[in-house]
Amino acid sequence: MSWVKRAPIRFAVILIVAIWSLPTTGLFVSSFRPQSEVATSGWWTVFSHPFEESTWTVSNYSGVLDASGLWRAFGNSVVITLPATVIPITIAALAAYAFAWMRFRGRRTLFAIVILLLVVPIQMTLVPLLRLYTRLDLSGTYVGTWLAHAGFGLPLAVYLLYNYISSLPRELMESARIDGATHWDIFRRLVIPLSTPALASFAIFQFLWVWNDLLVSLVFLGTDGEVATLIARLNELVGSRGEAWHILTAGAFVSMAVPLVVFLSLQRFFVRGMLAGSVKG
């Protein structure tokens, strides 16, 4: 029977999902445990006495939500993440169309340079970029952080969108040109609507990366309460020695709310966008 043959595969999938979800489960359970319990025992011990009143608490979430400056940091994260997602998508879509359907001198060389930028570690660029920002008075500003995130995300964005846009039917492009459409008309009326899955896929990646970023925000924004992001603020709540990491367990789930909404809203495009351009013909 078919279900018997598929049983090992299903069991393997369930096992992998369970193992993959185990750390998140432990984090979630710990977010409802008192500080004393978190510091002295593992999260799995709650199942030995799950119904005792002292086992569970919401004080960790209260401590996060009542923290000074948290909601301002939440707003800062939104202000930083949205432009830092839209800017690279817009530029990458234009560049991907140019590399895929426009013929100009040095096109392949420029595309190769873009791909090579994928292997450049971000850490190598932080100090030179910060020195440049200091001279231009962009350090500690939203604009500087937008540009940094856009620059770091552009190589991957161009690569992903190029794979999709270059796989669009050539006959469709040629028909549009015969009808007198310019490159801008083709890009705006044909390429963008047809590339929605790829655009949404990269939007998910970029949004999650920028929202959860700590390194770039600390380097270019610092911990000033006026511009600090949510992740940077939660990092401060933990303490310099990690003595309040039980707060981090609750803060992790608070910070997950917005990315989860974004992912669920765009998930129907995600798989289509990831497979786009992988098979031609």
Side-chain angles (χ1 to χ4, degrees):
M1 298 177 65
S2 60
W3 67 270
V4 176
K5 295 180 179 179
R6 295 177 181 176
I9 298 177
R10 292 179 177 178
F11 175 78
V13 171
I14 293 174
L15 181 62
I16 293 173
V17 170
I19 295 175
W20 186 268
S21 304
L22 194 61
T24 304
T25 302
L27 191 69
F28 181 72
V29 172
S30 297
S31 69
F32 288 100
R33 302 183 70 207
Q35 180 181 3
S36 58
E37 294 290 329
V38 171
T40 58
S41 61
W43 62 268
W44 53 88
T45 59
V46 300
F47 298 108
S48 61
H49 44 85
F51 301 108
E52 292 185 10
E53 185 176 352
S54 60
T55 302
W56 308 101
T57 182
V58 294
S59 60
N60 296 338
Y61 286 92
S62 299
V64 171
L65 297 177
D66 294 339
S68 175
L70 183 75
W71 294 109
R72 184 176 184 84
F74 182 90
N76 291 336
S77 290
V78 173
V79 170
I80 291 171
T81 304
L82 292 181
T85 302
V86 173
I87 292 173
I89 287 180
T90 303
I91 298 175
L94 292 167
Y97 174 80
F99 285 131
W101 296 105
M102 297 177 67
R103 299 295 178 261
F104 53 90
R105 182 176 298 180
R107 178 173 61 93
R108 294 185 178 181
T109 302
L110 289 175
F111 185 70
I113 292 174
V114 171
I115 300 304
L116 288 174
L117 290 175
L118 286 171
V119 302
V120 177
I122 292 178
Q123 293 81 356
M124 293 180 59
T125 67
L126 294 179
V127 173
L129 195 57
L130 183 60
R131 293 182 63 181
L132 177 63
Y133 274 19
T134 302
R135 294 178 182 177
L136 299 177
D137 200 23
L138 290 175
S139 181
T141 65
Y142 292 142
V143 175
T145 310
W146 296 339
L147 295 177
H149 280 301
F152 295 146
L154 269 175
L156 178 61
V158 173
Y159 177 71
L160 290 178
L161 296 181
Y162 171 83
N163 285 340
Y164 190 95
I165 293 176
S166 62
S167 68
L168 296 177
R170 180 176 297 274
E171 295 78 8
L172 184 64
M173 303 298 177
E174 293 177 349
S175 297
R177 293 195 190 98
I178 292 174
D179 291 337
T182 63
H183 281 297
W184 173 247
D185 293 330
I186 295 174
F187 175 78
R188 180 169 54 91
R189 297 182 179 181
L190 293 179
V191 173
I192 291 300
L194 293 174
S195 302
T196 300
L199 294 172
S201 297
F202 176 74
I204 291 174
F205 279 125
Q206 183 72 359
F207 188 96
L208 294 179
W209 176 56
V210 177
W211 182 270
N212 293 321
D213 167 73
L214 177 62
L215 177 62
V216 175
S217 62
L218 285 180
V219 171
F220 297 111
L221 288 176
T223 57
D224 184 2
E226 295 296 319
V227 293
T229 62
L230 178 62
I231 302 300
R233 182 67 185 124
L234 291 176
N235 182 62
E236 286 188 342
L237 292 179
V238 178
S240 59
R241 298 183 180 180
E243 64 273 11
W245 78 269
H246 62 285
I247 295 293
L248 185 61
T249 60
F253 282 91
V254 171
S255 66
M256 284 170 54
V258 173
L260 188 62
V261 171
V262 172
F263 180 80
L264 294 178
S265 301
L266 301 177
Q267 65 171 337
R268 62 193 182 100
F269 299 109
F270 185 71
V271 175
R272 291 166 57 192
M274 287 296 94
L275 297 179
S278 59
V279 179
K280 294 186 179 181

